Amino acid sequence: TFTSSNPNILSINGTTATVHAAGEVTITAKAAVNDVYLEAYDVKKHAVISSGITYQFLGKSNDTWEPAIGGGIFKLDTNGQNFQYLFDIDGELVCPMIQNRNGKVFASISGNNNSGLYEFEVNQQNANLIENGLIYSMIEVSGIIYYVKIEDTTLQIYSLNKDLNKALIYSSLINKTGEYPTLIEGLNDDIYLLTHSQGQNQLGSIVSIKLDGSQFTTLHEFSQRHSQYFLTKVDNSYFGIISNNNYNSALFKFSPINGFELIHEFNHEFNINCKLTYFENSLYGIYDGGDANRGRIFKIATDGTSFELIKSFTEETSPMYTSWWGELNLLPDNSFIGSLSVSGENKGAQI
């Protein structure tokens, strides 16, 4: 269900929102418990709108919601200069793009009728559809792209070579809906598949898959708490977050040799689902909370000690909200670059 903080500005009937006056409102989406899911966290979207417009909220395959939106591809120097908007996308990016592969860009787009894996020829501003359907994750290993999709109740992983020939290397029935699988580079001629709701406990698993599809092995099945959607590789180990619906998150370390280990329990107020970034024996991440829930950045040693908050976004640094799905990327000068959603002068986004 959807509710508006000010029905005089925007009223909601079912999945249709009608604007009555210009102003600012907060739209809250709430999903109740059902046969498949526990009660979800409320999702709140702040909007600055003009009068005389009707919005339609669209359901997505993972049972979340977003207003009908589009996106685009741009170029930007690492110092923030020479911004160049290249072209529009009728949809939104699902996962990080793969860039500079034969001078092209590969992107997974989620749209109303055009979800799929696209090859973009940036200089010519056109796109080639490689694979229909929602592509959840993709990585490049030794010049080969690997991507994962779900067809009905089957999870599938494909390889895509430089000639754009694809091959199915892994297929498995999923035992619970709402899955959002992620691919990560492995250790020995393999890739890792991280799931959120598979395995015997339906709380997620880590599966090793040989690059040629000849063998796969379940390395770990999560218990008590769900795996989140990211793993960060550091040497021969992986770090990630597990949590449940009670804001009960923890940091774990995993390796095929030493297995699974919980190394830090976070405070219950923390809602953490970020991709961790490694630098000099520490992990960095973005999560919610802080001043008006604008977000914070934390730092923690890889042995789970020395947890500290190193940045809390304020009204001056982030007029709106950061995203707890955020990601920090390390630049060559040992600084970080990250993004803030629903922020900036135009309530769009900031880098």
Side-chain angles (χ1 to χ4, degrees):
T1 58
F2 303 100
T3 58
S4 169
S5 63
N6 192 337
N8 293 325
I9 294 176
L10 181 142
S11 62
I12 299 177
N13 182 12
T15 60
T16 299
T18 301
V19 176
H20 304 287
E24 298 189 17
V25 297
T26 297
I27 303 166
T28 301
K30 185 176 181 65
V33 64
N34 57 31
D35 292 338
V36 178
Y37 297 103
L38 297 175
E39 184 176 4
Y41 303 122
D42 290 354
V43 177
K44 296 185 178 182
K45 297 289 185 180
H46 187 87
V48 178
I49 52 182
S50 302
S51 59
I53 303 174
T54 297
Y55 295 87
Q56 183 72 25
F57 297 116
L58 303 176
K60 292 293 186 67
S61 59
N62 60 356
D63 291 328
T64 63
W65 70 276
E66 290 287 352
I69 58 176
I73 290 181
F74 64 88
K75 294 197 304 184
L76 182 71
D77 293 346
T78 55
N79 60 6
Q81 303 300 312
N82 298 321
F83 177 89
Q84 181 183 358
Y85 190 88
L86 299 174
F87 50 86
D88 294 329
I89 295 173
D90 183 17
E92 57 182 316
L93 290 173
V94 178
C95 59
M97 297 183 292
I98 293 178
Q99 307 171 45
N100 298 326
R101 184 176 186 265
N102 300 326
K104 299 178 181 179
V105 172
F106 289 78
S108 172
I109 306 299
S110 173
N112 296 336
N113 299 302
N114 62 338
S115 295
L117 174 61
Y118 288 84
E119 174 196 52
F120 290 93
E121 298 184 37
V122 174
N123 294 330
Q124 300 180 26
Q125 298 191 12
N126 60 20
N128 176 31
L129 178 62
I130 303 298
E131 177 76 65
N132 274 309
L134 184 61
I135 307 301
Y136 290 85
S137 176
M138 59 180 177
I139 59 173
E140 185 176 16
V141 181
S142 301
I144 305 296
I145 291 178
Y146 297 87
Y147 61 90
V148 57
K149 64 182 297 188
I150 295 176
E151 290 281 358
D152 297 324
T153 59
T154 304
L155 185 151
Q156 301 171 338
I157 299 177
Y158 289 88
S159 64
L160 185 71
N161 65 19
K162 63 181 180 180
D163 297 320
L164 303 183
N165 296 318
K166 69 176 185 178
L168 179 66
I169 68 166
Y170 177 81
S171 179
S172 174
L173 292 175
I174 57 175
N175 56 22
K176 189 176 182 181
T177 59
E179 182 56 72
Y180 202 105
T182 307
L183 296 178
I184 308 98
E185 182 182 355
L187 297 177
N188 301 304
D189 297 322
D190 61 356
I191 55 177
Y192 286 175
L193 170 67
L194 173 69
T195 65
H196 177 66
S197 57
Q198 304 310 302
Q200 292 184 350
N201 303 311
Q202 296 187 351
L203 294 175
S205 61
I206 301 174
V207 180
S208 167
I209 303 166
K210 289 296 183 182
L211 296 178
D212 60 2
S214 61
Q215 181 181 350
F216 64 91
T217 304
T218 299
L219 302 177
H220 180 74
E221 293 189 348
F222 294 91
S223 61
Q224 297 183 348
R225 284 177 280 189
H226 276 284
S227 66
Q228 294 303 318
Y229 305 102
F230 306 102
L231 283 180
T232 296
K233 182 182 178 184
V234 178
D235 297 326
N236 293 323
S237 298
Y238 295 82
F239 295 85
I241 303 293
I242 57 174
S243 65
N244 60 20
N245 284 351
N246 295 319
Y247 288 85
N248 184 13
S249 298
L251 173 68
F252 70 84
K253 178 181 180 180
F254 170 81
S255 73
I257 297 175
N258 298 319
F260 178 88
E261 177 187 5
L262 281 180
I263 61 175
H264 183 80
E265 290 280 354
F266 294 101
N267 190 304
H268 280 257
E269 68 172 302
F270 297 163
N271 189 6
I272 302 177
N273 188 26
C274 63
K275 181 178 180 180
L276 302 168
T277 301
Y278 173 77
F279 178 63
E280 293 187 344
N281 299 318
S282 293
L283 297 163
Y284 297 77
I286 299 177
Y287 66 107
D288 64 0
D291 180 17
N293 206 36
R294 289 183 173 90
R296 296 171 284 189
I297 298 176
F298 68 86
K299 172 185 176 183
I300 186 170
T302 53
D303 62 1
T305 62
S306 304
F307 176 85
E308 61 179 311
L309 301 177
I310 63 172
K311 176 67 177 177
S312 182
F313 293 103
T314 64
E315 186 174 2
E316 288 74 24
T317 56
S318 176
M320 291 301 295
Y321 307 103
T322 187
S323 172
W324 51 276
W325 288 76
E327 179 179 351
L328 296 170
N329 292 284
L330 189 65
L331 297 177
D333 64 356
N334 293 334
S335 63
F336 291 112
I337 187 169
S339 62
L340 304 175
S341 64
V342 199
S343 181
E345 180 180 359
N346 301 312
K347 305 295 191 292
Q350 287 179 318
I351 295 176

